[in-house]
Amino acid sequence: MILIVDDKPENIFSLKRILEINSFEVDTALSGEEALKKILKRSYSLIILDVQMPGMDGFEVAENISGYSKSKDIPIIFLSAVNTDKRFITKGYASGGVDYITKPVEPEILILKVKTLHRIYEQTRDLNDAQLALRAEIEFRKEAQTELKERVQELRSILESIPQIAFTAKSNGVIEFVNQHWLNYSPAQEKFPVAHPDDPNIEERWKDAISRNVPLEMEVRIKKLHEDEYHCHLLRTTPIKEAEVIVKWVGTFTDIEDQKKAEMRKDEFLSIASHELKTPLTSIKAYMQLLERAFSSELKTSKVSANYLQRAQFQVDKLHSLIADLLDISKIESGKLKFNEKVFNFENLLANSIDIIRQTNHEVTIIRKGTVDKFVYGDEIRIEQVILNYLTNAIKYSPDNKEVIVENSLTPEGDIIVRVIDSGIGISADKHAEIFNKYYRVDETSNRFQGLGIGLYICSEIIKRHHGSFGVESSPGKGSSFYFCIPVHTPETTLIKP
Ligand code: ADP
């Protein structure tokens, strides 16, 4: 839209006609003041301004327009008398396109100039728009970049704080960040830890996964730089995507050595347990058949039958205790191991337990050292189970020495302590911490002695539930001393239920 500003309506009329014929939209103002009001309200592509007007003249109007940011770029054509100085005309309006036309106006020249300035205006406007869009784009990118930097920083802080070995890599697989743990396993940031010689090469598997754009998941044994022992780790990589495109990879190595060992022990346990259960059953079956035959033949002397029965009974007892242990394990696991608590005399319990062992192990000498005539609040049968277990183990793991010492005293703290000391095969110090764990059996001796590796675990659970402590002192070839402590009963402790 073009604005014509002239105080003479007849001039406006003729100019308007010329422009409209040439398909321009036109608005008009009869004074400088009116023109300024209109310019403030709407935008024009060109202003044709009469220089000589009463009140505010054309120059003043132009000067005012140049002060408004909205309209400062609108081109102006001044209409002036022939003798007006051109320099004077451009004064005060330097930023927009400016031209002049002398009166009387020649239509062709007017249209030519209008078209040129109109085009300049449109080009300037397009340029300004493009510049604005460009600025917005730059701003947006800057923000996105800052946000990305913050996210990367955040991710790195997280990766530093986790217990795993962690790294990030570019989409092409080049490692760009590693956490502190990484450097315990690899001498350099860009190199993966070295895998066990029998395990797949990590670098190769990583490159393969990257080339196929798929996450990597593998179990691999790696070791710390200055250690010899390999630990099984789970390596897992995850892509970070932006608009469905992978921009980064995050990877972790998680130490799953303990998990692996526990799994292995459980498998081993199941196979041993089924074997252990089957052996007495087979014997029982055989004795039953023998008994059957003894009865059906004339040979049925009561002595022979009694012997078979006794042997079968022994195997039934064995089976019973195996099944009882297995049941205890499942009760502990489901939190259903029940205790029948009452106050009992500890000396009586210890003496009884030793008697039970003596009756079934005639070849063994059990030497008693010290007595504690105190009372305990707890489950008598379960504590007996612990003593029997310690004693049975002391005998079982001392194939060449059948002397076991049972020491009983009070600790400096006033708790009852029982020690079962044997002179058997012993246990090396590095195994002491694990000996009370579920399914744990010392590898070197597990083939020589029957067992499930659950007895000491059950003992530890029983003692814990009695607020006691337990442990072992032992060295290979020198025998072992297994101990447990439990609190003495006082009127106050009766009130403390586990
Ligand atoms: P089990 O005897 O059925 O294997 P336990 O839980 O009672 O299971 O014992 C766990 C392991 O601790 C045994 O396999 C054995 O290696 C070791 N152990 C226990 N008691 C003794 C002991 N008195 N002397 C030597 N080793 C022992």
Side-chain angles (χ1 to χ4, degrees):
M1 168 93 59
I2 297 172
L3 177 66
I4 304 170
V5 189
D6 202 317
D7 58 320
K8 295 186 188 72
E10 61 276 19
N11 284 354
I12 285 186
F13 181 75
S14 62
L15 283 174
K16 194 168 182 252
R17 264 196 66 87
I18 300 166
L19 291 172
E20 278 173 350
I21 288 166
N22 282 278
S23 326
F24 286 106
E25 278 188 274
V26 177
D27 195 5
T28 58
L30 284 165
S31 69
E33 291 81 358
E34 191 191 350
L36 286 178
K37 273 185 205 151
K38 288 200 164 187
I39 289 162
L40 276 179
K41 275 194 198 130
R42 56 180 304 177
S43 57
Y44 296 97
S45 55
L46 176 69
I47 301 166
I48 298 174
L49 198 51
D50 185 21
V51 173
Q52 275 171 326
M53 286 188 290
M56 191 184 271
D57 70 15
F59 301 136
E60 285 172 288
V61 175
E63 223 170 300
N64 271 299
I65 293 171
S66 72
Y68 306 154
S69 64
K70 181 174 162 251
S71 52
K72 66 180 175 13
D73 292 330
I74 306 174
I76 296 176
I77 296 176
F78 290 102
L79 293 178
S80 64
V82 195
N83 56 0
T84 312
D85 187 343
K86 285 180 211 156
R87 272 181 297 135
F88 192 50
I89 289 171
T90 54
K91 172 192 128 200
Y93 198 79
S95 50
V98 170
D99 210 335
Y100 70 95
I101 287 181
T102 45
K103 287 179 184 172
V105 174
E106 277 184 51
E108 294 78 24
I109 294 188
L110 174 74
I111 288 303
L112 203 72
K113 293 198 171 190
V114 163
K115 277 187 177 163
T116 309
L117 284 177
H118 197 261
R119 201 169 49 243
I120 288 175
Y121 171 79
E122 276 182 342
Q123 280 168 353
T124 313
R125 195 189 52 198
D126 289 352
L127 222 65
N128 282 346
D129 286 353
Q131 208 176 23
L132 271 178
L134 216 67
R135 274 214 193 104
E137 173 78 17
I138 290 170
E139 222 28 63
F140 174 76
R141 281 184 188 214
K142 260 193 203 159
E143 271 171 30
Q145 225 162 25
T146 322
E147 202 184 312
L148 198 71
K149 250 192 200 160
E150 281 171 8
R151 271 177 56 196
V152 167
Q153 206 42 50
E154 204 178 312
L155 177 69
R156 289 182 176 180
S157 315
I158 293 170
L159 294 184
E160 273 307 351
S161 68
I162 59 173
Q164 284 105 324
I165 304 167
F167 65 98
T168 66
K170 291 181 187 167
S171 55
N172 61 4
V174 173
I175 296 170
E176 52 177 10
F177 167 80
V178 298
N179 69 359
Q180 274 302 314
H181 297 303
W182 176 282
L183 299 169
N184 294 329
Y185 290 79
S186 166
Q189 141 151 6
E190 62 284 354
K191 281 206 177 98
F192 275 103
V194 180
H196 187 281
D198 296 341
D199 286 354
N201 182 301
I202 306 176
E203 196 86 37
E204 280 169 17
R205 296 283 300 272
W206 170 241
K207 278 185 185 151
D208 173 62
I210 288 292
S211 69
R212 291 185 293 119
N213 251 356
V214 292
L216 175 62
E217 187 168 322
M218 68 187 278
E219 283 182 12
V220 60
R221 282 170 294 171
I222 55 173
K223 67 178 183 71
K224 284 193 175 159
L225 285 177
H226 305 296
E227 286 180 13
D228 299 325
E229 203 188 326
Y230 283 88
H231 271 211
C232 187
H233 281 72
L234 175 68
L235 164 58
R236 222 183 228 157
T237 66
T238 322
I240 294 184
K241 292 183 181 176
E242 258 170 38
E244 287 309 302
V245 178
I246 297 174
V247 288
K248 214 180 260 300
W249 290 92
V250 181
T252 50
F253 286 85
T254 310
D255 191 334
I256 51 166
E257 184 68 18
D258 288 348
Q259 219 172 304
K260 280 264 141 193
K261 276 191 182 150
E263 257 171 49
M264 246 168 58
R265 260 184 238 138
K266 191 155 193 164
D267 292 348
E268 218 173 281
F269 166 76
L270 283 176
S271 96
I272 295 172
S274 29
H275 179 77
E276 294 275 303
L277 290 171
K278 211 178 146 204
T279 316
L281 261 183
T282 317
S283 305
I284 294 165
K285 226 171 118 187
Y287 290 128
M288 293 311 229
Q289 278 169 0
L290 285 171
L291 266 178
E292 199 185 23
R293 257 186 252 159
F295 275 115
S296 58
S297 74
E298 291 307 308
L299 279 170
K300 53 171 181 179
T301 64
S302 58
K303 208 174 164 197
V304 172
S305 307
N307 181 272
Y308 290 153
L309 265 178
Q310 205 180 20
R311 288 182 192 205
Q313 183 61 44
F314 178 74
Q315 297 297 337
V316 169
D317 287 346
K318 218 168 145 185
L319 202 59
H320 179 266
S321 99
L322 275 172
I323 292 172
D325 275 358
L326 288 174
L327 276 175
D328 280 350
I329 283 278
S330 77
K331 279 185 201 157
I332 291 170
E333 240 142 63
S334 59
K336 286 180 187 148
L337 190 65
K338 293 277 176 292
F339 287 84
N340 192 2
E341 281 132 342
K342 62 179 189 338
V343 178
F344 63 88
N345 181 282
F346 190 75
E347 173 49 31
N348 289 349
L349 174 75
L350 188 56
N352 275 341
S353 313
I354 293 172
D355 272 351
I356 295 173
I357 295 294
R358 279 188 180 133
Q359 275 162 25
T360 43
N361 298 273
H362 300 292
E363 75 289 3
V364 179
T365 315
I366 299 175
I367 302 165
R368 281 214 56 183
K369 288 190 179 170
T371 51
V372 173
D373 202 9
K374 294 274 181 193
F375 286 86
V376 164
Y377 178 76
D379 187 326
E380 208 173 353
I381 296 182
R382 289 292 179 188
I383 299 289
E384 182 186 87
Q385 189 179 348
V386 176
I387 301 169
L388 294 182
N389 217 309
Y390 275 21
L391 282 168
T392 323
N393 277 355
I395 298 164
K396 182 162 75 170
Y397 295 104
S398 309
D400 306 323
N401 192 320
K402 294 295 165 209
E403 198 174 270
V404 176
I405 301 168
V406 177
E407 264 182 20
N408 187 201
S409 59
L410 286 176
T411 64
E413 292 77 34
D415 291 339
I416 293 175
I417 176 164
V418 177
R419 278 182 186 278
V420 176
I421 304 159
D422 65 57
S423 312
I425 59 167
I427 307 153
S428 59
D430 58 318
K431 311 278 185 340
H432 293 183
E434 289 198 82
I435 210 92
F436 288 88
N437 287 350
K438 201 166 35 176
Y439 311 135
Y440 187 83
R441 307 199 73 219
V442 175
D443 283 344
E444 296 84 45
T445 51
S446 60
N447 289 336
R448 258 176 84 197
F449 303 93
Q450 284 189 333
L452 295 178
I454 54 177
L456 288 180
Y457 169 69
I458 297 171
C459 291
S460 73
E461 288 296 311
I462 294 172
I463 298 299
K464 273 190 228 160
R465 292 279 296 270
H466 282 82
H467 308 291
S469 56
F470 50 86
V472 61
E473 283 145 21
S474 178
S475 56
K478 297 220 170 91
S480 311
S481 166
F482 278 85
Y483 69 88
F484 72 86
C485 305
I486 42 167
V488 166
H489 162 72
T490 59
E492 303 90 68
T493 52
T494 331
L495 304 170
I496 309 166
K497 300 252 168 167

